[in-house]
């Protein structure tokens, strides 16, 4: 983040940070309260509310780690100890999948136990199948922009390419019945 002019003037921008805070709003746009305290961040939190609406998974810090906050008590818990982003909840709320240095990974949402890497490539998870058997994710292709895949969470962990091509395919979301 710098530029030099023809007459030798240098302009640069230091680390870019902004004030950030997660807030609650009603349907009319009235602020109801705060989930987190304000803090300086370099990237957004990527917040995701659990299926039961009682917890929130989000990334925080440098390097980014996943955190979980109990929305009733305000207690937050660090879930990962290494870089993690794009948290997504399993349909039953028992697990959180995310992108990490090790690849697409899954961990129990209570924070207990080890992280399981299920795809070793750099991936960006977007959603679980309604029955919790698969995760839909995006991966950058060698000759394409972004392509959509799904992987079986358990068993053989079979990867199935769903949409691959020259376009920038993103944001996979299965239908509620999982057919489309």
């Amino acid at each position: 983040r710098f530029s030099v002019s023809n007459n030798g003037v240098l302009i640069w921008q230091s680390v870019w940070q902004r004030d950030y805070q997660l807030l609650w709003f009603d349907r009319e746009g009235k602020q109801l309260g705060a989930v987190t305290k304000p803090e300086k961040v370099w990237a957004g939190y990527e917040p995701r509310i659990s299926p039961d609406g009682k917890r929130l998974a989000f990334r925080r810090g440098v390097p980014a780690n996943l955190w979980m906050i109990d929305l009733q008590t305000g207690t937050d818990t660090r879930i990962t100890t290494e870089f993690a982003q794009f948290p997504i909840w399993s349909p039953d709320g028992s697990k959180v999948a995310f992108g990490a240095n090790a690849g697409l990974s899954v961990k129990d949402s209570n924070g207990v136990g080890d992280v399981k890497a299920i795809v070793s490539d750099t991936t960006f998870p977007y959603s679980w199948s309604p029955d919790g058997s698969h995760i839909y994710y995006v991966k950058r292709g060698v000759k394409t922009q972004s392509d959509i895949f799904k992987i079986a969470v358990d068993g053989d962990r079979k990867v199935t390419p769903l949409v691959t091509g020259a376009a920038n395919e993103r944001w996979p979301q299965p239908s509620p019945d999982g057919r489309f």
Side-chain angles (χ1 to χ4, degrees):
R1 297 186 175 158
F2 69 92
S3 183
V4 179
S5 71
N6 289 337
N7 67 1
V9 174
L10 168 73
I11 187 167
W12 64 275
Q13 180 181 0
S14 63
V15 175
W16 181 70
Q17 290 187 323
R18 65 182 184 267
D19 291 321
Y20 196 88
Q21 183 178 24
L22 294 175
L23 304 170
W24 285 114
F25 290 87
D26 66 14
R27 293 183 185 271
E28 285 74 44
K30 179 182 173 194
Q31 184 178 328
L32 300 175
V35 179
T36 61
K37 296 176 182 172
E39 63 183 319
K40 295 275 189 197
V41 300
W42 58 274
Y45 282 171
E46 299 167 356
R48 299 286 174 95
I49 296 176
S50 64
D52 65 6
K54 295 181 179 178
R55 297 175 292 164
L56 182 79
F58 60 98
R59 77 173 183 177
R60 170 197 279 164
V62 177
N65 281 272
L66 289 190
W67 290 74
M68 192 86 53
I69 189 166
D70 181 310
L71 295 170
Q72 295 170 330
T73 65
T75 305
D76 59 355
T77 305
R78 187 174 173 171
I79 299 299
T80 62
T81 57
E82 294 183 10
F83 175 80
Q85 62 182 351
F86 302 113
I88 57 170
W89 292 91
S90 63
D92 66 1
S94 67
K95 299 184 184 313
V96 175
F98 50 91
N101 287 337
L104 176 65
S105 300
V106 176
K107 185 166 182 172
D108 289 345
S109 65
N110 62 9
V112 177
D114 295 328
V115 171
K116 287 191 316 186
I118 61 173
V119 175
S120 60
D121 294 336
T122 300
T123 62
F124 306 93
Y126 282 93
S127 56
W128 290 71
S129 61
D131 65 2
S133 64
H134 291 82
I135 295 174
Y136 296 87
Y137 66 93
V138 170
K139 180 173 92 169
R140 292 186 180 118
V142 175
K143 296 182 179 180
T144 63
Q145 294 287 319
S146 296
D147 299 321
I148 298 174
F149 297 82
K150 77 174 182 177
I151 185 170
V153 177
D154 294 315
D156 66 359
R157 294 195 178 142
K158 180 182 176 190
V159 173
T160 305
L162 296 177
V163 185
T164 61
N168 195 12
E169 297 94 8
R170 297 180 67 172
W171 303 103
Q173 183 67 48
S175 62
D177 64 3
R179 290 185 54 214
F180 304 100

